[in-house]
Amino acid sequence: MTGISRGRAVAIDCSCICTFTIIPQCREVTTTFTNLEPIGIPNSGTATPYPSNIFVEGLSGPIIKVTVQLNNLSHTFPDDIDILLVGPVTTQNAIIMSDVGGGGDAVNVTLLLDDDAPTPLPDVGPLVSGTFQPANYGGPEAFPPPAPAPAGGSALSIFNGSNPNGLWSLYIVDDLGGDVGSLAGGWELNITTCEFQ
């Protein structure tokens, strides 16, 4: 078969049927959601409120990264603290902090928990402000209802690939008596999604 291109005759081979797949480009978008309500941590038992919630809406595309910031954490024995983050699909959850920081006082510490941080939260103190990988140094942790059963891991990557929209909950428990604390500045949820163009 012959066609015309810019005034020239060109040959076109019609014996081949070609298929093209167009892969849309992914634009990474990070959105921060906050709950600045202070969280009280008792000398034993569940925090107030329990859980602390953030409702996420308006995002399109799947999750490709989640980080969590804990603002102004103070506690007289941070090793007592257990924290479970639960996503909109409750079977997707992570014990993002448990039995870390040892027995020294933590005073007004802000922690950014990121799977890609160079080091995990410290097993022994002091607990200082910074960016760390989530960590759980204890055995099986107990989170009373309405918390779901922990999935077992600490990595925030458990949420990757899922729909970010819906209720996210932070469950905090003090697992031993004698010490108290607070998350005076609440917490922040940073969600990076893949927005297709």
Side-chain angles (χ1 to χ4, degrees):
M1 180 179 182
T2 302
I4 303 297
S5 174
R6 295 185 184 177
R8 297 180 301 164
V10 295
I12 301 174
D13 181 1
C14 292
S15 63
C16 173
I17 298 175
C18 300
T19 303
F20 297 94
T21 302
I22 298 174
I23 301 174
Q25 288 191 334
C26 175
R27 181 172 61 99
E28 294 185 11
V29 177
T30 301
T31 308
T32 299
F33 300 86
T34 61
N35 183 341
L36 302 180
E37 179 185 8
I39 302 171
I41 305 173
N43 63 12
S44 180
T46 60
T48 302
Y50 182 84
S52 175
N53 293 320
I54 290 176
F55 191 79
V56 172
E57 60 183 342
L59 299 185
S60 61
I63 295 171
I64 56 176
K65 184 178 179 68
V66 171
T67 65
V68 176
Q69 183 163 300
L70 307 174
N71 296 319
N72 310 116
L73 172 67
S74 297
H75 200 279
T76 53
F77 202 96
D79 200 85
D80 291 354
I81 302 171
D82 300 328
I83 302 179
L84 178 71
L85 176 67
V86 179
V89 179
T90 58
T91 55
Q92 290 179 321
N93 59 66
I95 300 174
I96 58 174
M97 178 174 156
S98 179
D99 303 305
V100 308
D105 288 2
V107 180
N108 206 32
V109 171
T110 294
L111 302 171
L112 178 62
L113 304 182
D114 183 339
D115 286 350
D116 297 324
T119 58
L121 285 163
D123 187 10
V124 295
L127 193 60
V128 297
S129 295
T131 302
F132 302 93
Q133 299 166 19
N136 174 12
Y137 295 106
E141 307 299 346
F143 292 89
S154 293
L156 291 161
S157 60
I158 193 170
F159 303 108
N160 290 359
S162 63
N163 183 340
N165 297 297
L167 187 66
W168 292 73
S169 299
L170 196 70
Y171 293 88
I172 301 179
V173 171
D174 186 304
D175 61 11
L176 286 174
D179 293 276
V180 297
S182 68
L183 202 56
W187 61 295
E188 300 177 14
L189 183 65
N190 307 297
I191 300 177
T192 301
T193 52
C194 179
E195 310 288 341
F196 293 107
Q197 304 183 61

